[in-house]
């Protein structure tokens, strides 16, 4: 967010970065195509449910639990090993996200704490709050330098202030910044990636861009692959205009791929194949 300088609306300023407007428009077209499908008028709940399942699978894959969709659909017990617990956490977060939309704009930090509590499914004293100085972070797939707890708390407060203040930034820009900041900061001792991707979804749904939650960005992030995801995140963390714009474009492409996935589900339902 440092590229925004002293702008009164830093998130909106990011929308002026080269290429970002094109990404925003491309995402809007992709989302509109899904919402214009005839199946959405009759069976939108089915599309929402399927997008939630596929989004959870994608988020878990990026966290190291790359299960086949049918395995996620079939399983009822997610308490076995680390991968099973990761998939279970992703599914719980997807289910919880819709319950937190009304709280997000008033108290985003409260929502983030709740998401971590749900993901961790634990009552330990490190759960549901930002980490303290010296507490380790279990996020092995993100190898970026870890900010101090003091810096993390300050940047979380700043991010929350921007969300509460609102502004004119496109939903894609806000969602990408929320996602990028949470991954850069890793404010919790665990499950930061799962929480960050769920927060991205909350922004996209709550903003009205994807009100029925049928364009799961997590699907696209997984399809683009972990290497591309981490490379784009590195650009965001660099703080350069080019790096931040590339991260926003990456998030935009993920939303487009999520929309494409739901279009395929719509087509299958229309053919009577699902």
């Amino acid at each position: 967010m440092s590229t925004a300088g002293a702008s009164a609306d830093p998130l909106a300023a990011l929308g002026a970065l080269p290429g970002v407007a094109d990404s925003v428009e491309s995402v809007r077209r992709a989302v509109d195509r899904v919402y214009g499908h005839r199946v959405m008028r009759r069976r939108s709940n089915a599309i929402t449910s399927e997008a939630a399942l596929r989004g959870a699978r994608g988020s878990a894959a990026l966290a190291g639990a790359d299960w086949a969709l049918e395995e996620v659909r079939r399983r009822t017990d997610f308490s076995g090993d680390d991968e099973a617990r990761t998939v279970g956490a992703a599914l719980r977060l997807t289910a919880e996200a819709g319950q937190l939309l009304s709280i997000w704009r008033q108290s985003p930090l409260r929502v983030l704490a709740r998401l971590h509590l749900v993901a961790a499914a634990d009552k330990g004293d490190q759960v549901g709050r930002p980490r303290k100085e010296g507490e380790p972070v279990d996020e092995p797939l993100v190898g970026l330098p870890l900010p101090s707890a003091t810096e993390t708390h300050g940047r979380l407060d700043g991010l929350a202030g921007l969300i509460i203040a609102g502004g004119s930034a496109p939903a894609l820009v806000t969602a990408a910044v929320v996602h990028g900041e949470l991954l850069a900061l890793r404010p919790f001792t665990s499950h930061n990636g799962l929480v960050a991707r769920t927060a991205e979804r909350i922004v996209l749904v709550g903003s009205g861009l994807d009100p029925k939650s049928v364009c799961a960005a997590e699907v696209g992030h997984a399809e683009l692959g972990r290497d591309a995801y981490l490379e784009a995140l590195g650009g965001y963390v660099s703080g350069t205009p080019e790096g931040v714009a590339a991260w926003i474009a990456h998030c935009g492409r993920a939303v487009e791929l999520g929309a494409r996935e739901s279009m395929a589900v719509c087509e299958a339902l229309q053919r009577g194949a699902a």
Side-chain angles (χ1 to χ4, degrees):
M1 292 191 295
S2 60
T3 58
S7 169
D9 191 348
L11 293 177
L14 295 181
L17 291 174
V20 170
D22 291 340
S23 295
V24 169
E25 181 57 31
S26 183
V27 166
R28 169 52 69 187
R29 289 195 300 267
V31 173
D32 285 348
R33 282 194 292 271
V34 178
Y35 278 82
H37 198 286
R38 67 174 62 186
V39 170
M40 281 294 293
R41 293 193 290 271
R42 297 181 287 109
R43 301 189 63 182
S44 64
N45 288 343
I47 307 302
T48 296
S49 296
E50 189 64 20
L53 183 71
R54 294 177 184 225
R57 192 217 74 82
S59 191
L62 287 170
D66 192 1
W67 287 15
L69 178 63
E70 291 312 312
E71 177 66 10
V72 178
R73 199 189 304 278
R74 180 188 67 81
R75 278 285 190 107
T76 56
D77 180 9
F78 297 95
S79 63
D81 55 19
D82 287 345
E83 285 196 5
R85 286 190 288 272
T86 295
V87 175
L91 289 167
R92 290 193 300 274
L93 285 172
T94 299
E96 186 74 11
Q99 312 301 314
L100 300 172
L101 290 169
S102 63
I103 306 171
W104 174 255
R105 283 294 297 273
Q106 286 74 43
S107 186
L109 297 184
R110 178 181 165 196
V111 168
L112 293 174
R114 174 62 185 171
L115 291 176
H116 186 244
L117 185 67
V118 168
D122 189 352
K123 299 186 184 300
D125 63 3
Q126 295 180 337
V127 172
R129 61 158 176 80
R131 57 185 167 85
K132 298 176 182 178
E133 211 65 68
E135 288 182 332
V137 174
D138 181 16
E139 204 73 40
L141 301 179
V142 179
L144 296 167
L146 187 68
S148 70
T150 300
E151 179 184 350
T152 295
H153 290 199
R155 285 172 61 176
L156 277 178
D157 286 342
L159 181 64
L162 290 174
I163 293 165
I164 293 168
S168 59
L172 172 63
V173 172
T174 302
V177 168
V178 168
H179 186 170
E181 279 291 285
L182 292 175
L183 276 178
L185 297 175
R186 281 148 287 163
F188 302 108
T189 57
S190 64
H191 299 91
N192 289 287
L194 294 177
V195 168
R197 290 184 287 275
T198 305
E200 179 186 44
R201 175 183 283 246
I202 287 173
V203 174
L204 294 171
V205 174
S207 67
L209 175 65
D210 180 21
K212 294 184 183 295
S213 193
V214 296
C215 302
E218 305 96 318
V219 168
H221 286 304
E223 184 172 338
L224 290 167
R226 190 182 302 155
D227 289 345
Y229 183 68
L230 295 176
E231 181 180 353
L233 176 63
Y236 176 83
V237 171
S238 76
T240 66
E242 297 81 8
V244 174
W247 169 251
I248 294 170
H250 184 87
C251 290
R253 182 61 180 148
V255 177
E256 291 180 54
L257 290 171
R260 187 182 70 179
E261 184 95 347
S262 284
M263 278 291 288
V265 174
C266 286
E267 291 293 328
L269 287 173
Q270 185 167 278
R271 294 191 303 268

